[in-house]
Amino acid sequence: MITSIQNTRVKEWNKLKKRKGRKQTGSFLVEGFHLVEEAYNGGWEVREVILREDVEAPDWLADTTVTEVSNQVFSAIADTETPQGIAAVIALRQEPEIDFGRVLMVDAVQDPGNLGTLIRTADAAGYDAVILGNGTVDPYNDKVIRATQGSIFHIPILQGSLTEWTERLKADGVQVVASALEGAQPYNSSSDPQKTALIVGNEGAGISPELLEIADERVYIPIRGKAESLNVAVAAGILMYHFID
């Protein structure tokens, strides 16, 4: 059992809380019974489970490497206010080959809660993938992972230049629709093609002009009350479900 927060393993686990550490090791940290089990059941490579000394390992971890730690050590690696006493190191996956039908594209969304909700909603709506553009918060940030409620283990998350992805999708016959205000039509008067990539943008600045220029179509959600705008995750939820009807 590891009892010192100065232990090398503890320091390595804490490095996974930063994007640089996740990139260097090709792994990330999740915390809590639900998320660990979602990763396990989803077929992700669970490299190691970290278990607090007073917590009993669930039966489904029988074939997994388990490291027991003291209360003090677990508190040092935990990010939640009331830790459940279980965490796991999960290996990152390589980009899968996908037959795109419905895709969510995210342009520079920076709030972890918003991104987690976007991923969770795309999963719920049955989308094939979420593509994250440059400037978007790291999807393996602990706050993003918690906000997905496990959906990050159910739906492919791709990253890269959205301009390049847009050109690639259009070449594959996917209609690219951008959520915008200027030069846009109400979303419910939009066409509903079989293959759709929906772009949503940064909380303050929206979608970059370059992306708006190459999108096939622009849509907006009418505001009936006095609110200036909708939260990006709420707006995306409305639009995602519209494009699967």
Side-chain angles (χ1 to χ4, degrees), residues 77-241:
I77 65 169
D79 280 313
T80 55
E81 290 185 12
T82 54
Q84 296 178 4
I86 186 171
V89 178
I90 311 295
L92 291 167
R93 279 182 167 176
Q94 296 298 312
E95 178 183 309
E97 288 295 325
I98 297 170
D99 182 17
F100 293 104
R102 294 283 189 266
V103 185
L104 176 67
M105 301 172 72
V106 181
D107 183 25
V109 167
Q110 297 173 347
D111 181 85
N114 281 340
L115 180 59
T117 303
L118 287 166
I119 292 170
R120 182 180 180 182
T121 307
D123 176 26
Y127 274 50
D128 299 307
V130 177
I131 304 175
L132 308 181
N134 300 327
T136 298
V137 63
D138 185 0
Y140 302 103
N141 172 305
D142 66 288
K143 292 179 182 177
V144 176
I145 294 171
R146 288 203 300 272
T148 72
Q149 286 291 304
S151 285
I152 197 164
F153 301 116
H154 306 159
I155 184 170
I157 309 294
L158 312 176
Q159 300 183 66
S161 164
L162 291 191
T163 302
E164 294 176 7
W165 271 107
T166 297
E167 299 294 357
R168 173 179 167 181
L169 290 167
K170 290 172 72 170
D172 289 342
V174 179
Q175 177 94 348
V176 178
V177 180
S179 173
L181 295 176
E182 296 183 6
Q185 61 179 321
Y187 77 97
N188 51 6
S189 64
S190 166
S191 60
D192 186 15
Q194 288 298 308
K195 294 185 174 184
T196 306
L198 170 66
I199 309 176
V200 295
N202 176 272
E203 292 89 345
I207 297 170
S208 70
E210 184 182 12
L211 277 175
L212 288 175
E213 195 64 34
I214 60 176
D216 294 308
E217 192 175 358
R218 302 181 193 182
V219 298
Y220 72 92
I221 300 171
I223 302 292
R224 308 299 185 193
K226 296 181 180 180
E228 290 185 1
S229 63
L230 288 169
N231 170 275
V232 62
V234 172
I238 294 170
L239 295 173
M240 277 191 275
Y241 272 90

Side-chain angles (χ1 to χ4, degrees), residues 9 13 16 21-30 36 39-40 43-50 61 63-67 87-94:
R9 300 274 294 287
W13 295 331
L16 300 181
R22 294 189 285 269
K23 188 174 182 180
Q24 287 176 340
T25 63
S27 60
F28 60 102
L29 195 68
V30 300
V36 175
Y40 181 86
W44 287 64
E45 180 189 344
V46 181
R47 291 182 173 173
E48 181 178 19
V49 170
I50 305 154
L61 285 180
D63 299 324
T64 307
T65 301
V66 177
T67 301
V89 178
I90 311 295
L92 291 167
R93 279 182 167 176
Q94 296 298 312

